[in-house]
């Protein structure tokens, strides 16, 4: 079974703090993704990485950056957290040959006060 | 542009009765369509995937979906609901890029005993 794990289930931070969300997958997938999930909006893609050190912006990259130093690990960084970044963050991974079949982690619920 | 519309934000059924979750899609070319399920405090899980083979797609846990081009629909059905089916369901269409998934706003399924 593919396993995608995220470092925290719940996180509370203050406005202006730098926040790191970590994601690890154990199936040697080339692709990794970060989404945010908000009620009534479904999931929206923040960033996508198709290889180590490679990344592409998704639909809502503003206020976020990412890091992929190792194939199994993909980090989402909020440089200066703001209250409108309070959300559920989901990480996913997929094979290069089947990019649209994505496997999701359990999510991190981030609250920014 | 690709998009999906989930016609109901909430659906309530009694255990043992049929389930119907409705989804309409918009696509300028032959779409790839998916249904994902999200149980409370868990990541999204792929239920089924349509990629222009058979129009009736069978998924896990007894769910199936039928692709109807004339109606631009991809409704999810199950003959008999189980309590464990209570979850949020997302209809998804693949975007122009092979890795890009476009999510509907979700339908929350409630199963009454």
């Amino acid at each position: 079974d593919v396993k995608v794990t995220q470092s925290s289930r719940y996180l509370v931070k203050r406005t202006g703090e730098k926040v790191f969300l970590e994601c690890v997958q154990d199936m040697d997938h080339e692709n990794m993704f970060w989404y945010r999930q908000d009620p009534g909006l479904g999931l929206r893609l923040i960033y996508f990485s198709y290889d180590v050190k490679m990344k592409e912006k998704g639909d809502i990259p503003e206020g976020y950056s990412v890091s992929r130093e190792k194939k199994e690990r993909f980090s989402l960084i909020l440089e200066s957290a703001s209250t409108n970044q309070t959300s559920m963050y989901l990480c996913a991974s997929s094979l290069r040959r089947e990019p649209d079949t994505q496997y999701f982690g359990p999510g991190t619920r981030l609250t920014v006060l | 542009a690709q998009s999906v519309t989930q016609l109901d934000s909430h659906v309530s059924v009694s255990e043992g009765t049929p389930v119907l979750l409705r989804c309409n899609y918009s696509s300028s070319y032959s779409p790839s369509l998916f249904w994902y399920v999200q149980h409370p405090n868990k990541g999204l899980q792929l239920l089924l995937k349509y990629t222009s083979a058979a129009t009736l797609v069978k998924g896990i846990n007894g769910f199936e979906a039928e692709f109807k081009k004339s109606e631009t629909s991809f409704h999810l059905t199950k003959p008999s609901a189980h309590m464990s089916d209570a979850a949020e369901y997302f209809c998804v269409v693949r975007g122009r890029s092979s890795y890009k998934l476009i999510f509907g706003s979700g339908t929350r399924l409630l199963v009454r005993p």
Side-chain angles (χ1 to χ4, degrees):
Chain A
D1 261 3
V2 177
K3 193 156 185 189
V4 180
T5 57
Q6 296 183 230
S7 51
S8 307
R9 291 303 311 276
Y10 299 93
L11 208 52
V12 180
K13 296 291 182 181
R14 297 214 172 269
T15 302
E17 279 193 78
K18 190 169 186 175
V19 181
F20 293 86
L21 302 183
E22 305 284 340
C23 174
V24 177
Q25 50 92 7
D26 66 356
M27 282 302 290
D28 205 34
H29 284 177
E30 294 87 357
N31 302 325
M32 294 188 76
F33 308 82
W34 276 106
Y35 293 89
R36 66 176 279 176
Q37 180 181 8
D38 298 289
L41 296 179
L43 276 70
R44 293 176 291 166
L45 182 65
I46 305 171
Y47 266 99
F48 159 59
S49 170
Y50 52 91
D51 204 344
V52 175
K53 298 189 187 297
M54 307 304 289
K55 62 187 179 186
E56 281 191 19
K57 292 180 180 179
D59 298 318
I60 51 165
E62 298 78 17
Y64 303 95
S65 61
V66 290
S67 172
R68 191 158 179 212
E69 298 295 321
K70 293 184 178 182
K71 189 176 185 179
E72 67 272 17
R73 188 179 297 270
F74 192 35
S75 302
L76 180 69
I77 304 155
L78 287 65
E79 296 290 343
S80 177
S82 64
T83 54
N84 63 12
Q85 292 178 310
T86 292
S87 187
M88 172 71 87
Y89 291 88
L90 294 170
C91 176
S93 69
S94 69
L95 288 166
R96 178 169 294 143
R97 68 172 187 270
E98 202 173 2
D100 55 9
T101 300
Q102 297 179 13
Y103 298 84
F104 285 82
T108 295
R109 185 166 295 281
L110 173 67
T111 301
V112 182
L113 302 174
Chain B
Q2 318 299 96
S3 68
V4 287
T5 302
Q6 293 185 244
L7 300 171
D8 307 292
S9 59
H10 293 80
V11 169
S12 181
V13 302
S14 296
E15 190 175 20
T17 64
V19 176
L20 170 64
L21 305 183
R22 300 183 296 162
C23 174
N24 286 350
Y25 71 88
S26 173
S27 177
S28 52
Y29 49 87
S30 183
S32 291
L33 292 159
F34 311 76
W35 277 98
Y36 277 83
V37 60
Q38 185 178 34
H39 287 94
N41 299 316
K42 292 193 174 179
L44 276 76
Q45 180 184 20
L46 180 65
L47 268 182
L48 50 82
K49 175 179 176 179
Y50 166 77
T51 54
S52 74
T55 56
L56 184 62
V57 184
K58 293 190 182 300
I60 61 172
N61 300 334
F63 284 94
E64 61 183 35
E66 186 171 8
F67 174 74
K68 291 187 176 180
K69 187 175 180 180
S70 61
E71 298 176 12
T72 62
S73 69
F74 190 58
H75 300 335
L76 182 70
T77 60
K78 183 174 180 177
S80 176
H82 191 272
M83 296 297 292
S84 61
D85 294 328
E88 189 156 24
Y89 293 79
F90 292 93
C91 182
V92 181
V93 64
R94 193 176 80 180
R96 189 164 288 278
S97 300
S98 59
Y99 67 85
K100 182 80 181 293
L101 298 181
I102 298 164
F103 286 77
S105 55
T107 298
R108 188 166 296 277
L109 177 65
L110 173 66
V111 182
R112 304 185 302 271

